[in-house]
Amino acid sequence: METREGTDGPGRAEGLICASFNQDTTSLAVGTKKGYKLFSVTSIDRLDLIHESADTPDVYIVERLFSSSLVVVVSLAVPCRMNVYHFKKGTEICNYSYSNNILAVRLNRQRLIVCLEESIYIHNIKDMKLLKTLLNTPSNPAGLCALSNNHSNSYLVYPGSTTIGEITVYDANNLSTVTTIAAHDSPLAAVTFNASGTKLASASERGTVIRVFGIPDGARLFEFRRGMKRYVSISSLSFSADAQFLCASSNTETVHIFKLEQHSPSREEESPTWSAYVGKMFSAASNYLPAQVSDMMNQDRAFATVRLNIFGLKNVCALATIQKLPRLLVASSDGSLYIYNVDPQDGGECVLVKNHRLIESEDGQRESADVSESRAAQPTSQSYAATVAIPTATPSTTALTGYSEDGGMRKGEVIPEHEFAAGPVCLDDEKEFPPINRCRDETRSGKGRRP
């Protein structure tokens, strides 16, 4: 879940390079020309700054491991090197250098994945040991890949072809290929897993159809049509925590939310409606139509939508439950985080409730636009999404507890072996995965480079 901008342009926030949500959508990481920042997104009214670093400029990749203190950073100054930090202690755990520019980094509690254009490196996150190198993968200039958050399966997906939308599903735990999925006719543009790693959503470069597959068998479960009039560039796909909803953002002004529900024929028969009757007619007629037309008729449309005030800019979207209500979060390259209410029953047009600035203004202050007054002025006949009351903001914890170990690497200096933990170290922050307990300077030893 990330977006990256190479250079500034019209509408883009000066200094903002990338943005990504962590695995459980409780924090947002942004890379800037000055360094990187970590924000807490557990409140509507407040966007608390968890950490800010100016040690590494021009950060174009920044990924945080859940709510821990482990963060991975890659800078445009040295695009072949990945740095792993313990941000609470201000220490560098280790760094790896590779044979080419790093295009993407993905991590869960078991594995850390580094994606280059024609190769993928799989590390054991406990000690950063390089377990496997997938060489000569199909050219992947966008660094498109996804790793399941569920470390018990650690499925990795990446493009299996440069000409069609083929997906390779790889088991990063057992280091073996699971299956390939013929997902689209045109090359892939976006992929993402649900939280448990049992569903995979994908979109092609055309951007008109989004499909959801079962993992690991690759069976097609759902198919959604984003639109028909024009091709778009889908930049972000994200499931809700319960995998009941899927959101998609693109370079257009519309963000779509789809509902993953199986239609029950028995329920339609028990309570027949005009729409159900028409649906049956279309379903019967589709058997006599060409396959492409039949597929189009059977594709579901968006359950809810958002109309952004920006157009042509990349953004990253996520669905989260904040203050006990479903929200849509959109971090845009214009330097803003937009928060919308989502109606889980009726869908429809989502309503903007807050706009937080991610980059400081000229006076060094971040601004937040409160839209509660305009929301309250809406007629009482509005939908749930327009009239839901926002609970009073509760103080969010900004001092998140991180790794409790003392091991790691500082400024490239190797920590003596006896200072590393002998076994798994227990954490006091939501039982996060045990920290890296053994790591050497792989840059010096030559590991991490292609043989």
Side-chain angles (χ1 to χ4, degrees), residues 103-183:
L103 301 179
V105 175
R106 301 286 182 264
L107 60 164
N108 62 24
R109 295 186 178 98
Q110 191 75 16
R111 296 289 182 258
L112 186 149
I113 308 298
V114 178
C115 180
L116 311 187
E117 183 171 352
E118 294 182 348
S119 58
I120 296 176
Y121 294 80
I122 303 175
H123 295 267
N124 181 17
I125 204 168
K126 289 183 180 180
D127 52 14
M128 283 303 296
K129 178 181 178 182
L130 180 62
L131 301 177
K132 183 75 172 182
T133 303
L134 304 178
L135 297 174
N136 302 317
T137 57
S139 180
N140 184 14
L144 183 62
C145 64
L147 177 68
S148 63
N149 298 337
N150 184 2
H151 63 279
S152 63
N153 52 46
S154 290
Y155 289 121
L156 166 70
V157 295
Y158 57 90
S161 171
T162 59
T163 57
I164 61 173
E166 183 179 272
I167 302 173
T168 298
V169 182
Y170 189 87
D171 187 338
N173 281 349
N174 297 315
L175 306 178
S176 60
T177 300
V178 177
T179 187
T180 57
I181 302 174

Side-chain angles (χ1 to χ4, degrees), residues 351-387:
V351 175
L352 177 68
V353 292
K354 201 71 176 182
N355 174 11
H356 294 286
R357 289 295 298 170
L358 302 172
I359 303 296
E360 296 88 350
S361 58
E362 294 181 357
D363 60 1
Q365 299 294 322
R366 286 188 293 110
E367 300 174 352
S368 295
D370 192 345
V371 296
S372 58
E373 293 182 2
S374 61
R375 177 179 54 83
Q378 297 290 333
T380 56
S381 59
Q382 290 290 323
S383 66
Y384 164 86
T387 58

